[in-house]
Amino acid sequence: MGLNKPNLNATRTKVALSALLALLVVGTQTVSAATTVLASNDWVGISFWIATAMMLAFTVFFLVERQNVPDKWKTSMTVAALVTGVAWYHYTYMREVAIMADGGSPLVYRYIDWLITVPLQVVEFYLILAAIGVGTFVMFRNLMVASIVMLVAGFFGESGAMDGTLELSATVWWVIGMLGWGYILYELWSGDVKEASESGSPGVQYAFNAMRMIVTVGWAIYPIGYLMGAGTIDGMGADDMNILYNVADLVNKGAFGMMIWYAAKHDE
Ligand SMILES: *C/C=C(C)/C=C/C=C(C)/C=C/C1=C(C)CCCC1(C)C
């Protein structure tokens, strides 16, 4: 005795709404913990506030829209929602740190967030690569390792956590991070993958090209932000870095999820 279609849809909607409710319950504690007021000329703080609200909106959208795409795209939509959901959770903390009177850059929250959301995005990439027939375990593992090398190097460079143990300058850590990213770019632009991407449904091809643009152009914003924060670029500092990182997160998490949704909608 199976569920009929309307019942199944109702069940799915209930599951999505329950997941959302759980998220809101967790998030509300941090939301109500606000002790400082956002100043009207605090552009860094404002960018954190906008990013927080948009991450929540993206999450709700992806969870609800998951019901309206073909089955084979549902997992991709779930992962897109997890990426923005985890980011929303961290942004509720980061914006508090960002507006505190003694300044402060929410570095640790930022990197904890990336350490969860970037591997989730690698899962998303793998799903797309699998759909064009080139997703292997070895490729998945290599992309995962490269992305973690990239993030850990960035964290050591920005936090100075390794100072006294392994004395490398912020620039050297940046170069190590660039090698991790460079490897990912090489994998996504190399011959086999490129050839395979020309097969597959229009929706899959669209998703593949979107993914490659995101990793190449969208991700390029981060190493530029890092250099601003490190004081390598004249006249730029931690504030510029934070605004740039926030914009980058909205593009790479939110807009990328929207592209997945668009691909799914045009792949019936
Ligand atoms: C949702 C968060 C995302 C997609 C974060 C991505 C982060 C990067 C692509 C960071 C890259 C970096 C380098 C390429 C060089 C070293 C410093 C980093 C970690 C900022």
Side-chain angles (χ1 to χ4, degrees), residues 134-247:
V134 294
T136 61
F137 171 74
V138 173
M139 180 180 273
F140 175 71
R141 183 201 59 197
N142 291 354
L143 291 178
M144 194 62 93
V145 170
S147 69
I148 290 171
V149 167
M150 173 183 89
L151 295 176
V152 169
F155 179 69
F156 286 160
E158 284 199 54
S159 67
M162 291 299 272
D163 290 2
T165 314
L166 187 58
E167 210 66 56
L168 300 178
S169 70
T171 314
V172 173
W173 286 119
W174 182 83
V175 170
I176 297 172
M178 290 297 278
L179 292 175
W181 180 44
Y183 178 82
I184 297 172
L185 288 178
Y186 164 78
E187 281 279 12
L188 298 183
W189 288 94
S190 72
D192 289 356
V193 171
K194 193 179 179 312
E195 218 168 277
S197 70
E198 277 141 28
S199 64
S201 68
V204 167
Q205 287 191 33
Y206 178 87
F208 175 79
N209 286 318
M211 165 184 90
R212 217 162 39 175
M213 287 320 283
I214 283 293
V215 175
T216 309
V217 182
W219 282 24
I221 305 171
Y222 296 100
I224 298 171
Y226 176 106
L227 292 179
M228 288 181 175
T232 315
I233 300 177
D234 262 0
M236 299 285 183
D239 283 355
D240 306 284
M241 175 192 78
N242 272 310
I243 292 176
L244 215 56
Y245 279 171
N246 294 351
V247 170

